[in-house]
Amino acid sequence: MNTGIGIEALEISAHLMGEQRIIYPTLIWDENETILIDTGYPGQLPLFQEAFERAGKSFQTLSKIIITHHDLDHIGGLPSFVAHAEAPIEVISNAIEKPYIQGERRIMKFTDEVIASMDSWPPERALPFKRLLANPPAAPVNTLVADGEILPYCGGIIIINTPGHTPGHFSVYHQASKTLIAGDAMVVENGQLLGPDPRYSIDLAQANASIQKLTSYDITRVIAYHGGLFEDHVNQRIAELASQL
């Protein structure tokens, strides 16, 4: 990989809504661009600023944000990131996810059933969700991308549609480092790479079918948003998952 290009999984850990939650957004950079893939939960801007510094980058170098899909833990920080930037940040996603990211449609997983059930939740969990329903995180999407599109930044970034977790979910392949930023298309649990989490997939059959697309790429490591880095015979493991799911 070109020595001027960097990629790092940022470990963001915080106690939120009554639970300890850890996520792994990805930072990619070169001499011209600093690109963040997904933005965490609302209120995590200071944690991201610290994580940027640990990676050797100033938060103010952030030039582009790619949003893989509109779940709360991926778009929650977006408005504050855009608001606190010294220079305009280009927000990149796709046409399916755009209206949810911009707050024009309700987050899909906030179904009527989920909203009705909030009254039975512990207050420390229910109240933040109710506030978010009333005032969801939202920011404009500036650039739309399509399946197979190659973004000419940081050694090449390929958009791979991997729907199922949400209808417009996509993963990102960083060509220079042969890294797949999986979003929620796969997870890492106990050091093992697994398929999509059935509990959070809107269309599990479609999410499982999306794994087959990933066998077309030469992948040396995966960064899963939930679970972090996996580097053990990655192509072989993805092929195994594709044959099982």
Side-chain angles (χ1 to χ4, degrees):
M1 186 171 68
N2 186 313
T3 55
I5 298 171
I7 179 169
E8 186 161 331
L10 306 180
E11 182 174 325
I12 306 293
S13 177
H15 193 76
L16 292 167
M17 303 172 190
E19 300 176 7
Q20 189 69 23
R21 299 169 184 252
I22 302 174
I23 53 174
Y24 294 88
T26 299
L27 190 65
I28 306 174
W29 66 89
D30 64 10
E31 62 274 14
N32 298 313
E33 304 283 356
T34 301
I35 302 171
L36 177 65
I37 302 176
D38 294 323
T39 63
Y41 292 92
Q44 292 191 319
L45 175 60
L47 299 179
F48 274 83
Q49 291 170 325
E50 293 168 5
F52 270 58
E53 295 294 339
R54 289 195 297 271
K57 300 296 293 182
S58 165
F59 182 82
Q60 292 303 334
T61 66
L62 181 60
S63 54
K64 292 175 170 58
I65 294 174
I66 298 174
I67 300 292
T68 62
H69 65 292
H70 74 274
D71 279 347
L72 179 63
D73 55 335
H74 294 254
I75 67 168
L78 183 59
S80 63
F81 288 17
V82 171
H84 285 83
E86 292 179 358
I89 293 175
E90 180 183 2
V91 179
I92 302 169
S93 194
N94 64 21
I96 296 175
E97 297 293 316
K98 178 181 177 179
Y100 300 97
I101 297 167
Q102 295 190 153
E104 297 159 1
R105 295 184 184 175
R106 188 172 73 192
I107 292 173
M108 290 187 74
K109 291 170 188 174
F110 282 0
T111 63
D112 292 341
E113 292 77 12
V114 168
I115 293 169
S117 72
M118 289 180 185
D119 289 335
S120 64
W121 295 3
E124 67 272 14
R125 183 163 182 255
L127 288 175
F129 276 104
K130 290 181 176 180
R131 292 192 194 103
L132 288 167
L133 275 171
N135 186 27
V141 174
N142 310 115
T143 302
L144 296 178
V145 291
D147 187 31
E149 186 169 344
I150 302 176
L151 304 179
Y153 312 123
C154 305
I157 293 172
I158 302 178
I159 304 301
I160 310 170
N161 283 2
T162 46
H165 182 78
T166 66
H169 183 282
F170 63 90
S171 303
V172 172
Y173 180 68
H174 182 232
Q175 292 178 293
S177 66
K178 298 183 179 180
T179 300
L180 177 75
I181 298 97
D184 288 349
M186 295 186 287
V187 300
V188 174
E189 291 184 1
N190 300 317
Q192 185 60 275
L193 184 66
L194 303 175
D197 192 325
R199 296 171 296 173
Y200 304 117
S201 297
I202 288 176
D203 186 331
L204 182 58
Q206 188 180 48
N208 287 334
S210 289
I211 301 302
Q212 181 63 44
K213 293 184 68 173
L214 304 176
T215 63
S216 301
Y217 295 85
D218 181 16
I219 301 169
T220 59
R221 56 181 176 172
V222 172
I223 300 172
Y225 200 69
H226 299 283
L229 187 63
F230 179 82
E231 299 180 286
D232 185 13
H233 298 92
V234 176
N235 288 327
Q236 178 182 334
R237 179 56 182 160
I238 293 175
E240 289 173 356
L241 289 172
S243 67
Q244 296 167 5
L245 296 172

